[in-house]
Amino acid sequence: MKLLRNKYRWLALLVALWTRGMGAVMGAPPATVDVNAMTFTPLPVVLTEEKDTLIFSDSPEYVNKNGVLAAGTVNGTGRVYFYHVNEMAEPQKIAIIMENKSKQNVEIDIHREVVTKPNREYFVVGSELSREELEAPYVSPNQNWQPAAQTDRSAGAAGLVTTVKKDEQGAIVPTWLDDSYKDLQKEAVKGKALSKDEKALYRARLKEADNWRKEWLRGEKVAAKLKPTVIESFVLAPGGKKAVFSKLDTLPIQTDDLFSGILDFTASGPVYVKVLMLPINTPSLGGSVLADTLPMDEVALRGTYVGAQRRLTLMQPYDSSLGPAAVMVVNDREDPFVEGNDELTTDAAVTNRGNYGVTYDLTIPTTGGHEFALYINPLGGAYAGSFKVTYDGQTEVYDVPSGARLFLGNGTTADTQYFGVYKAGKLLRIQFIPAGASNLPIQFLLVPQN
């Protein structure tokens, strides 16, 4: 996703960002913090679980010829995420075709179609899609999270490879989700004479650990009972083909416009999914028959990846009594980039540098005697997107940047933005999708309040 080629129309972008909503809170802590005036303890995340298949279509990003942009096979629950610019003189459209190459009928359920209008302002497209992805109703039928393929790499980067525990399936179990954290608390006071205050703190820590686990298990139980979202169902016979996401036919991509969207679905068997760019008036299914396959550009951001959704967590809780801390994500260390293959180029190995199209679910257990404020701090360059924060049963979506700024973090690693303030002791949950056109990594700052 190239930043420098964007042709900014500053006034239009200012207006668009003003209308996205304001994230300020009256009487809240400072809207920004001076990262150079504080020492932040790094709290490494660990990639614990992932699920679903991602077909990523972003190469070629700048399309100067009609044809197939990306394709891949999904058997189960999957997602298509596309991000393309029309560099042709005439209006174009994106088309998505599903094909059954097997010898059995394949049942398809379409769960969600998320899209924003094409626009020359790349940050508008990326940030609006990231908010739509958070707000568009979606309950996946797949509740079977799997151990992440790069779990060991993540734990190793976090310095925890020899200390983590795994369940029967091989998924890492956070210490706060079993008895490990409580055992550590008990061991720390074993044989010691505790004051009244120390005893109270000890009991509070054990109660917090029970509450973290209850809160997590309660959330899992609720999610398992939700009815999956289905907006369309159909059957593909052997050899059958169908154009899906019909709304794409009504959204012309003008010259130099960026267009991006998400399709979530489930297939009862293997289904081959193609993403194409075609002239706006060309029937999608007919136009796909003789369409050429376009080569990847030098960025090589396309392919089929395992892990359209991923879970990250801290093994140990954030303790607000110990000072400021930072949790970094999408850094290709503790949080590795997803890896896959491009079925259009003889299964060439590919890496999604930025994890675009991947839904994140980050859990941070918290403890300590101080309230803490949550900030975002982009580290890779300009960022504009949205984040859903849930704490103690309350959920809020925050737009970055708030107000009339174009983006956060352009040419600096010192930009921050305030989200909210919380009383320590609960699970902090942050959900987002890396915003298109934006840069990674980012980190979340947790700052105790006196």
Side-chain angles (χ1 to χ4, degrees):
M1 296 182 178
K2 303 170 186 174
L3 191 58
L4 297 179
R5 293 188 63 177
N6 193 1
K7 303 173 183 177
Y8 298 110
R9 294 181 178 179
W10 298 107
L11 182 58
L13 186 52
L14 280 168
V15 172
L17 290 174
W18 267 111
T19 60
R20 293 185 344 157
M22 305 292 287
V25 177
M26 297 299 293
T32 62
V33 292
D34 185 353
V35 295
N36 296 315
M38 297 182 182
T39 299
F40 292 88
T41 300
L43 301 178
V45 298
V46 173
L47 170 60
T48 56
E49 296 174 298
E50 62 191 5
K51 65 178 180 178
D52 303 345
T53 301
L54 170 67
I55 297 175
F56 184 26
S57 183
D58 181 28
S59 183
E61 179 176 343
Y62 297 88
V63 185
N64 56 22
K65 179 183 178 182
N66 296 131
V68 179
L69 306 170
T73 303
V74 173
N75 187 353
T77 301
R79 167 177 297 169
V80 176
Y81 175 92
F82 61 85
Y83 181 101
H84 295 283
V85 177
N86 173 24
E87 286 205 328
M88 289 172 275
E90 300 299 326
Q92 306 293 314
K93 70 176 180 180
I94 292 293
I96 299 178
I97 307 297
M98 291 186 175
E99 180 179 357
N100 179 7
K101 293 185 176 182
S102 74
K103 297 180 179 180
Q104 304 293 330
N105 286 348
V106 175
E107 298 175 0
I108 309 288
D109 287 332
I110 303 296
H111 304 301
R112 187 173 63 159
E113 300 171 344
V114 185
V115 71
T116 62
K117 293 181 179 180
N119 199 309
R120 291 191 180 188
E121 309 305 340
Y122 296 3
F123 282 104
V124 169
V125 174
S127 61
E128 286 185 353
L129 187 69
S130 76
R131 185 173 182 101
E132 287 294 323
E133 196 277 333
L134 289 173
E135 295 188 332
Y138 175 47
V139 178
S140 171
N142 182 15
Q143 299 296 326
N144 298 317
W145 289 88
Q146 303 296 321
Q150 300 187 74
T151 275
D152 289 339
R153 176 187 168 190
S154 173
L160 301 170
V161 70
T162 60
T163 59
V164 295
K165 295 176 62 176
K166 295 185 178 181
D167 62 18
E168 314 82 64
Q169 286 75 42
I172 288 178
V173 180
T175 57
W176 53 267
L177 199 51
D178 64 8
D179 288 327
S180 299
Y181 176 78
K182 294 178 69 175
D183 290 343
L184 288 173
Q185 301 300 311
K186 294 174 182 177
E187 188 66 27
V189 301
K190 186 176 181 180
K192 295 182 179 180
L194 302 180
S195 68
K196 183 178 180 181
D197 288 343
E198 289 172 334
K199 289 180 180 178
L201 178 60
Y202 169 67
R203 289 193 294 268
R205 290 286 173 89
L206 296 184
K207 185 176 180 180
E208 283 177 342
D210 286 333
N211 289 338
W212 295 331
R213 179 159 50 184
K214 290 177 181 177
E215 183 179 349
W216 175 267
L217 295 177
R218 183 167 58 250
E220 294 291 274
K221 187 176 181 180
V222 169
K225 291 183 177 180
L226 294 176
K227 185 177 180 180
T229 308
V230 178
I231 61 175
E232 181 184 4
S233 297
F234 56 90
V235 176
L236 280 180
K241 300 180 182 180
K242 181 178 175 63
V244 296
F245 208 158
S246 59
K247 187 176 181 179
L248 301 179
D249 290 329
T250 65
L251 292 169
I253 313 169
Q254 304 295 336
T255 303
D256 292 333
D257 275 2
L258 167 68
F259 190 39
S260 187
I262 296 170
L263 172 71
D264 289 301
F265 65 96
T266 295
S268 64
V271 61
Y272 189 64
V273 185
K274 293 194 292 187
V275 181
L276 305 94
M277 185 173 283
L278 299 171
I280 184 63
N281 292 322
T282 299
S284 297
L285 194 57
S288 70
V289 175
L290 299 177
D292 294 331
T293 295
L294 304 184
M296 285 192 289
D297 57 27
E298 67 278 4
V299 181
L301 284 176
R302 82 176 182 195
T304 307
Y305 303 82
V306 175
Q309 300 191 57
R310 63 170 40 189
R311 280 176 166 172
L312 303 175
T313 188
L314 299 186
M315 291 294 103
Q316 296 290 339
Y318 161 63
D319 191 337
S320 66
S321 301
L322 301 181
V327 179
M328 189 186 303
V329 295
V330 205
N331 60 6
D332 200 30
R333 294 196 307 271
E334 302 88 0
D335 181 17
F337 294 158
V338 289
E339 298 176 344
N341 63 287
D342 179 33
E343 296 182 44
L344 293 177
T345 52
T346 61
D347 290 335
V350 287
T351 301
N352 181 347
R353 293 180 296 278
N355 286 345
Y356 298 105
V358 176
T359 294
Y360 272 76
D361 195 338
L362 166 64
T363 301
I364 302 174
T366 68
T367 186
H370 298 282
E371 291 185 342
F372 65 93
L374 176 66
Y375 294 83
I376 187 174
N377 173 215
L379 298 176
Y383 196 96
S386 296
F387 299 82
K388 180 183 290 185
V389 180
T390 301
Y391 195 83
D392 197 16
Q394 301 298 313
T395 295
E396 185 74 33
V397 175
Y398 297 97
D399 294 325
V400 176
S402 60
R405 295 187 65 179
L406 303 173
F407 33 65
L408 201 67
N410 188 36
T412 177
T413 59
D415 272 356
T416 63
Q417 180 179 315
Y418 168 75
F419 281 176
V421 66
Y422 312 96
K423 182 179 180 180
K426 303 289 185 177
L427 295 180
L428 177 67
R429 184 182 183 191
I430 305 174
Q431 296 166 283
F432 68 100
I433 189 170
S438 289
N439 300 274
L440 290 307
I442 56 177
Q443 64 180 0
F444 301 103
L445 306 179
L446 300 96
V447 181
Q449 304 297 292
N450 295 326

